[in-house]
Amino acid sequence: MFVTGYHSQLYRLTDIDIDWFRKERLPQAPETYDYLVFGDLNGISETSLYMNVKYSPTSTKRQLTEEEEECAAELFELGKTDEALAIHHAAEGQTRVLEGRLYHWNGQEWRIVAKPRSGKHYPEPETLSDIFVESRDKIWAVGGNGVILFGNAEHGFQDISFKGNDENLRSITKFKDRMVIASDYALHWFDGHLLSPLKPVLDPSINRNIPNPLKVQAVDDVLYYFDTKHGVHTFDGERWTEIEIPPELLERDFKGLRAAKTR
């Protein structure tokens, strides 16, 4: 089992220990970026892993000079709010956003294999949310603004996003020979070209409010669906079944990970 996190954290968990996974070879933040956020990780084996990484840009905001602060204060007192705010805005610098990368570990090093954009029809950089390994040669990844990537580390990835889709895609899996994608508000079938609603939708008695999909995952012939508002449900291709979470489990306090053994 692997655990990823902010500021380039990647741990490997075994039955007896918790330790960094090849810490000395982890991807490093390049210049103009403060740090890397490691996200979803999936793969065939420990020598073929895929990981989505967010690049957090260095802030371009600077402190106001003493002269600028005095000038802004005077303008505020004179009621010239717009001019005073303009001084503050000038110090904020260029607006920069998180950027996504898809990395691959080949057993020796991490290498960037894809730089997702906001769908192939849009120029802005985007981030990834989920990775699904269908087979060694068929790797899927989805992300914000409709990004859908397909391919592999050896032959490269294609952006198979389609024009007009600007939904934030949260998760992807394969269920009974069909691809299922969760957007930020619904579940969809994906035929390789377009998204269509996954039907039947959750039973009205279950669907108490607008869904907020978090993760879809298929195991054998059962689709597991995790929703931040609706909880956990299973789907057999015909009907939905809600899985009740024991109240005592929801009330448990997380005490943190056990302390690592000293060596």
Side-chain angles (χ1 to χ4, degrees):
M1 180 181 291
F2 292 90
V3 177
T4 64
Y6 273 75
H7 294 278
S8 307
Q9 297 179 70
L10 177 56
Y11 300 96
R12 180 176 178 271
L13 280 65
T14 66
D15 292 337
I16 60 173
D17 205 359
I18 303 172
D19 205 354
W20 284 90
F21 180 73
R22 303 293 184 91
K23 186 175 183 179
E24 73 284 355
R25 298 192 179 183
L26 292 176
Q28 300 296 314
E31 291 185 14
T32 73
Y33 295 92
D34 273 342
Y35 57 88
L36 303 182
V37 181
F38 291 175
D40 190 56
L41 183 145
N42 208 336
I44 302 296
S45 67
E46 286 193 16
T47 59
S48 182
L49 299 171
Y50 292 86
M51 177 170 64
N52 82 63
V53 177
K54 295 177 182 177
Y55 279 45
S56 180
T58 301
S59 174
T60 57
K61 186 175 182 178
R62 63 174 177 81
Q63 294 291 327
L64 291 178
T65 65
E66 186 175 331
E67 182 180 349
E68 287 174 326
E69 288 182 348
E70 292 177 356
C71 182
E74 290 177 4
L75 289 171
F76 274 123
E77 290 180 3
L78 294 171
K80 298 180 179 181
T81 304
D82 291 341
E83 294 180 39
L85 290 176
I87 294 177
H88 285 273
H89 292 326
E92 292 180 357
Q94 180 183 2
T95 300
R96 306 184 67 190
V97 298
L98 290 173
E99 297 185 21
R101 303 287 190 275
L102 181 61
Y103 274 83
H104 178 254
W105 168 257
N106 61 10
Q108 299 296 323
E109 64 177 354
W110 288 99
R111 183 171 63 90
I112 297 175
V113 291
K115 297 180 181 180
R117 295 287 179 175
S118 300
K120 61 185 177 184
H121 303 285
Y122 307 94
E124 300 85 3
E126 196 48 83
T127 59
L128 296 172
S129 303
D130 194 26
I131 302 168
F132 172 66
V133 178
E134 182 179 356
S135 68
R136 183 175 296 276
D137 298 325
K138 297 179 179 180
I139 312 298
W140 300 80
V142 295
N145 222 347
V147 167
I148 305 174
L149 302 179
F150 177 70
N152 58 69
E154 182 178 359
H155 300 291
F157 282 81
Q158 287 184 308
D159 185 340
I160 58 174
S161 312
F162 52 94
K163 190 172 181 59
N165 177 32
D166 58 359
E167 301 174 51
N168 291 322
L169 306 180
R170 303 299 185 190
S171 185
I172 182 171
T173 193
K174 188 174 185 179
F175 175 58
K176 294 187 176 183
D177 297 324
R178 301 181 71 180
M179 301 305 298
V180 177
I181 292 180
S183 70
D184 56 1
Y185 73 93
L187 297 178
H188 314 267
W189 296 115
F190 180 60
D191 63 5
H193 301 284
L194 296 172
L195 297 176
S196 60
L198 190 154
K199 295 182 178 181
V201 297
L202 292 178
D203 186 273
S205 63
I206 296 174
N207 189 14
R208 293 178 287 273
N209 47 33
I210 297 174
N212 193 187
L214 181 64
K215 178 76 174 179
V216 285
Q217 183 174 354
V219 180
D220 297 326
D221 289 331
V222 178
L223 179 69
Y224 291 83
Y225 167 46
F226 302 83
D227 190 291
T228 55
K229 293 179 180 177
H230 296 231
V232 185
H233 298 78
T234 61
F235 181 60
D236 62 6
E238 296 183 0
R239 61 181 63 85
W240 290 95
T241 303
E242 184 173 11
I243 297 179
E244 292 190 20
I245 307 299
E248 58 272 21
L249 182 61
L250 296 175
E251 293 173 0
R252 286 175 56 188
D253 291 330
F254 178 62
K255 300 297 184 181
L257 296 174
R258 61 183 174 81
K261 295 180 180 180
T262 57
R263 298 174 184 244

